[in-house]
Structure formats: C-alpha cells, structure tokens
Amino acid sequence: MTNIRIKEGTYKIRGNDVDLAGMVFPLVQEFKVGAKGGYVTVDGRAVPGFPERNIKIMCDGTSAYEAAGTKVNTVTETDEEIVERIRERFDMLKDMTKAVKKGVVSAMIVSGPPGVGKSHGVEEVLDRYDTVAALGGGQKYEVVKGAMSPIGLYCKLFNFKDQDNVLVFDDCDAVFEEPLALNILKAALDSKKKRTIHWNTDSFKLRNEGVPDSFEFKGSAIFITNLDFRDVKSKKLRSHLEALESRCHYMDLTIKSEKDKMLRIKQVVQDGMLDSYKLSDDVKEDVMDFVDINKKQLRELSLRTVLKVAELAVAFPQRWEAMAENTVMQNR
C-alpha cells in the first residue's frame, strides 16, 4: 500500500480539527469531493492514536499530500488522552446498552480484556430497567455465564423471547464454537423483521418444559467477551465469529496495552470504586501504588485485583502489603 505525507489537511478528533501536516499514512483512496468538502481516504490503523479503520482527511486537492516512503509516523497519546478515549468508549457502551434494552439495537458484542469493567457497565444500565420491571412482576434480563448446550440456549431464548427482554452472555464463548448453538443464535439475531427459531428434532426437555419446537424471538442479546475477534487464529472459530459479528454491533473498548489497562483502573478508582471500603485517601493511594509498582508480577492486572488488595488493607491494616505479596502476586 502506498504511503502519503500530508502537507495540508485536518482530521476531527473529539470535535476539534487537528492539523496533520507532516503525518504519514497508508493511502486507501485518492482525493475526492464529498458533501462536506474534499478529502483523501487513509488507513488510520497504521498510526497509534487514530481510529482503527479507514478515515477521511479533509484537504483541498491532490497537492495537499505527496508520496512518502514506507515509514509511517506515530502519534503518542498523553495519559489524559488515553483516559478520555477509554472513558468515551465506556460511555458509548452504556448508550448502546440502553439502545439494546429499548429494542432499537437487537444485538451487541462487547470486546475487551478481563477485569476492566465490561460487565459492570452493561449490568449497571440493565439493573435500572430491571428494578422498574420487577415492580410490574416480570424479569426483563438475565446474565448467562459459563457453558451452555444448544438445547439449553434454545430454551433460554424462548424464556426471553418477548420484546424489551435482554439476554447477556458474559464470558460464554463456548456458544461461538458449537455449530448448532451458533445456528440458533444466527436465527435469533437475523436482520429480518420476523426472527423465527426452530428445533427440528424430538426432545423430552422441550416437552417437559412446555417449549414449542419453533417460536418468534423479539428480544435482544449482548455478548461480553475477552476475545478480540481480529486476533483469533483458528479458521473454524473465526468463520463462526464472523457470522455472529455480521449480525451484531461490535464494540471494541480499545484497551490493548498494559498502560491502557492501568490508566483505566486508575480512572475507575478515582471515580469512587474504593469509597465503600472506608479507607483513608493515603491508604487508597498506597493500594494503587502497590498495584502500579507490581503490575508485571500480579496474577492479573485488573479491577478485581485492586478490590482484593483493598480488602486486605481493611482486614490487615498493619501488614496488608505482605499479605498481598503472597495472594495476588505470582510466585517468585
């Protein structure tokens, strides 16, 4: 792919037009004029800090850029920019969850590393709706975890088939690998206005639970996974994931590096995650320093680990660090 160097051009980042003069990007499509003016299309994935997709750089013509070598410049995000980028994604996650609950969006996949608050962001929104639903005598959403058989999936979808119902599959990746389960999900999440699911073999379980061999699914689904679909190596699994992704909105929380994860953890703690532990500000700071200093030796760099260390600080005020070294860090 040919690279170009921008001589005069801008790209809108967080509502502001950023001057990209001197930046190098892989060229995707030559200069065109659209409704908002002239632009050249480049691959933003090649430059850190830009969206991982093709982007349009606004410019006045082909004279606004020139051919460049193979090297692509990089943009280093500040800590504040990383925190803001991740915060925006989690705000979008809440907005998308609301859209799923309303039935405007039928399905969503949420991808990100473990222990960064994916599940909490989704359940926080759905809990508000469920409180209202409980007053009316009906459960409106459920979180499904762990393994699930195809017929178990079929029955679960039937129980939540009505409009405004939401099934959340949290770390339930086995359903992606089972062809029959995947076919059931494909039928449930089809883009057709009427989504009918069929079970074409005789089943005692269905008869015993009063589940019909076909029904219309009007509910919605959210899949929360640690998988990055683009990094899956198995051809068989990748084809299954592509079939599911084509039926869902895919939200990548863009937390890729250890630094991203650490800044996300600091952000959540600053937002009050440890307030219920009644620790002094100095001890909270010590807890975060312990996690930050030892992040490469931790069993898991996550919000869960921070909570574990905070629990130890409450239970063992004088020796919580020694306790944490033996419980949340890897054996040396």
Side-chain angles (χ1 to χ4, degrees), residues 95-297:
D95 290 339
M96 285 292 290
T97 303
K98 293 175 184 176
V100 171
K101 184 64 189 72
K102 293 176 181 177
V104 178
V105 172
S106 61
M108 172 175 65
I109 298 167
V110 184
S111 172
V116 296
K118 302 187 300 295
S119 303
H120 176 75
V122 169
E123 293 182 39
E124 183 181 25
V125 173
L126 294 179
D127 278 342
R128 298 194 196 109
Y129 286 99
D130 214 39
T131 300
V132 176
L135 297 175
Q139 185 182 19
K140 293 294 186 178
Y141 93 93
E142 183 176 314
V143 178
V144 179
K145 294 178 179 283
M148 175 171 284
S149 67
I151 195 167
L153 172 63
Y154 181 87
C155 292
K156 186 65 69 175
L157 289 167
F158 173 76
N159 292 332
F160 286 81
K161 68 183 186 302
D162 295 330
Q163 192 170 1
D164 295 333
N165 285 2
V166 181
L167 270 176
V168 180
F169 296 90
D170 190 357
D171 198 18
C172 200
D173 295 346
V175 297
F176 301 155
E177 303 178 30
E178 169 58 56
L180 180 53
L182 184 67
N183 285 333
I184 292 171
L185 287 175
K186 285 161 66 177
L189 306 177
D190 207 329
S191 56
K192 298 177 181 177
K193 288 187 177 180
K194 187 173 183 179
R195 296 170 281 160
T196 304
I197 310 175
H198 299 269
W199 187 271
N200 296 319
T201 58
D202 183 56
S203 169
F204 172 77
K205 178 177 176 64
L206 297 189
R207 293 196 306 272
N208 190 50
E209 296 187 12
V211 178
D213 56 12
S214 69
F215 63 90
E216 183 180 358
F217 183 73
K218 298 180 181 179
S220 302
I222 297 175
F223 300 89
I224 302 174
T225 177
N226 300 333
L227 289 175
D228 185 333
F229 282 25
R230 291 163 299 180
D231 292 340
V232 172
K233 305 302 181 185
S234 166
K235 290 184 178 180
K236 180 180 178 181
L237 178 56
R238 189 163 63 242
S239 65
H240 288 177
L241 297 179
E242 287 172 354
L244 187 62
E245 187 178 355
S246 70
R247 289 163 168 78
C248 302
H249 289 270
Y250 187 95
M251 174 158 285
D252 184 346
L253 296 176
T254 71
I255 302 175
K256 304 298 182 185
S257 66
E258 182 183 84
K259 182 176 182 179
D260 286 352
K261 187 179 285 190
M262 194 66 229
L263 288 171
R264 164 64 180 169
I265 290 170
K266 289 179 179 179
Q267 174 218 318
V268 176
V269 170
Q270 288 172 358
D271 287 347
M273 186 182 78
L274 298 182
D275 289 354
S276 62
Y277 288 84
K278 308 301 182 185
L279 298 169
S280 69
D281 289 342
D282 287 344
V283 174
K284 288 180 186 177
E285 186 174 341
D286 288 341
V287 167
M288 286 306 301
D289 284 345
F290 176 89
V291 172
D292 197 3
I293 292 169
N294 298 293
K295 55 181 175 287
K296 293 187 181 299
Q297 285 75 46

Side-chain angles (χ1 to χ4, degrees), residues 285-332:
E285 186 174 341
D286 288 341
V287 167
M288 286 306 301
D289 284 345
F290 176 89
V291 172
D292 197 3
I293 292 169
N294 298 293
K295 55 181 175 287
K296 293 187 181 299
Q297 285 75 46
L298 295 174
R299 297 181 185 277
E300 178 187 62
L301 177 58
S302 69
L303 293 170
R304 288 187 287 266
T305 297
V306 176
L307 294 176
K308 289 177 183 178
V309 177
E311 289 172 351
L312 294 175
V314 173
F316 308 99
Q318 304 304 319
R319 56 192 182 103
W320 63 266
E321 291 185 70
M323 300 292 283
E325 287 176 0
N326 286 278
T327 62
V328 302
M329 292 177 64
Q330 301 176 42
N331 293 329
R332 297 175 182 176

